[in-house]
Amino acid sequence: DVMEKEMTEYFNLLDARVKAIVNDPAFNVNSAKQLAGLLFSRMGVKQDMEKVTATGLPKMGEAELIYYASTTSGNKHSYETLEALAKEGLKTGKCDIETFIGTVLAYRDVSKALNTTVKNYRTYTAYDGKLRCSYSQAGTATGRLNSASLNLQNLAPWGGGQNLKKFIIPDHPDHVLVNVDIKAAEIRCLMAYAAESGLIEAIKKGMDFHCVTSSEVWLYLYPQYATPEEFYPVLLEAHNAEEPTP
């Protein structure tokens, strides 16, 4: 109840802020049509005619909004930077296009978390106060277990990336929740089936096989770099050079 109240208050702040920026109390934040009309007609954002749906309507998804915030401002944005601007706007009253788009994105995330999980958790609570989900092995194309009613595998983040998973706790202080996942399980199975000795050896050494594959494609040795974060900048630099290091 405390969490629902806190999230509802934050949601109402974001909703009021969006409507204040556009100076229209009837503005529907969930309407892609109204949002597109506002950005392209009133705010002067240049529409990318390639970012449209099959019916020709402008796409207003997260990726598209981040793109428009970046191209309009000249700043390289991510969801996190735009959300930070939204929070700043709530404090300072700043109302430029970047802040507006960040506020819309934050509104969507809080709305999703609030309406799909928080307000519905009582529906899934058993007689003993515990949450239990249902697992299905035939619910995905890859054969992985998928969770439903409640989907505990994909609880939406909200308010600065806070994850609702932290509110799911064991029923006993001596118990713990374990997250078990096999990284790229399908690729590992394919490696074993195909007896791909090079990649199998790379995994045994703790190497990232995506990096190993990239290095072979671009003819660049994969030496001491163990993570994609370390290796890909080196690989990109070599690829952009006139004569990449063999």
Side-chain angles (χ1 to χ4, degrees), residues 3-234:
M3 180 174 61
E4 182 176 345
K5 180 181 179 182
E6 181 181 345
M7 290 181 68
T8 300
E9 290 175 352
Y10 186 47
F11 172 80
N12 290 335
L13 279 174
L14 293 169
D15 183 50
R17 181 63 188 147
V18 169
K19 292 175 179 177
I21 292 176
V22 302
N23 194 27
D24 183 1
F27 180 75
N28 182 2
V29 189
N30 295 313
S31 171
K33 182 178 180 180
Q34 289 188 31
L35 182 58
L38 180 74
L39 288 175
F40 303 139
S41 299
R42 286 180 52 186
M43 291 186 165
V45 175
K46 184 178 179 181
Q47 181 182 354
D48 187 331
M49 300 308 296
E50 293 185 358
K51 298 184 181 299
V52 295
T53 65
T55 58
L57 297 176
K59 290 183 179 180
M60 288 285 107
E62 179 180 314
E64 287 74 29
L65 290 179
I66 293 174
Y67 168 81
Y68 285 124
S70 300
T71 55
T72 302
S73 65
N75 299 318
K76 181 65 176 177
H77 278 299
S78 64
Y79 176 87
E80 289 72 23
T81 61
L82 290 173
E83 186 183 45
L85 289 176
K87 286 188 173 183
E88 179 185 346
L90 288 174
K91 297 178 181 178
T92 64
K94 187 178 179 181
C95 57
D96 56 15
I97 293 175
E98 299 164 280
T99 304
F100 171 73
I101 290 178
T103 307
V104 170
L105 291 174
Y107 170 96
R108 288 179 176 178
D109 265 1
V110 177
S111 176
K112 180 180 178 181
L114 188 60
N115 293 311
T116 62
T117 303
V118 176
K119 288 185 176 180
N120 292 327
Y121 84 93
R122 294 184 186 87
T123 304
Y124 305 112
T125 304
Y127 67 93
D128 56 1
K130 296 180 182 180
L131 283 172
R132 295 182 176 88
C133 62
S134 298
Y135 286 105
S136 171
Q137 193 169 6
T140 64
T142 59
R144 294 179 178 179
L145 288 175
N146 78 304
S147 171
S149 302
L150 187 66
N151 185 357
L152 296 179
Q153 294 174 316
N154 188 26
L155 296 175
W158 73 280
Q162 297 185 68
N163 200 306
L164 293 178
K165 288 182 179 179
K166 71 179 183 180
F167 297 106
I168 309 297
I169 59 175
D171 63 347
H172 192 279
D174 293 334
H175 294 172
V176 295
L177 296 176
V178 178
N179 181 20
V180 179
D181 187 22
I182 301 176
K183 182 181 179 182
E186 297 86 353
I187 298 179
R188 291 171 185 264
C189 290
L190 186 59
M191 287 179 193
Y193 184 78
E196 178 55 56
S197 58
L199 291 178
I200 292 174
E201 189 64 26
I203 289 179
K204 288 181 178 179
K205 292 181 179 179
M207 302 168 75
D208 184 275
F209 54 80
H210 295 294
C211 289
V212 173
T213 304
S214 297
S215 68
E216 292 181 357
V217 170
W218 295 110
L219 301 178
Y220 190 84
L221 294 179
Y222 182 78
Q224 72 272 24
Y225 304 103
T227 66
E229 291 76 17
E230 293 171 319
F231 180 64
Y232 282 134
V234 178

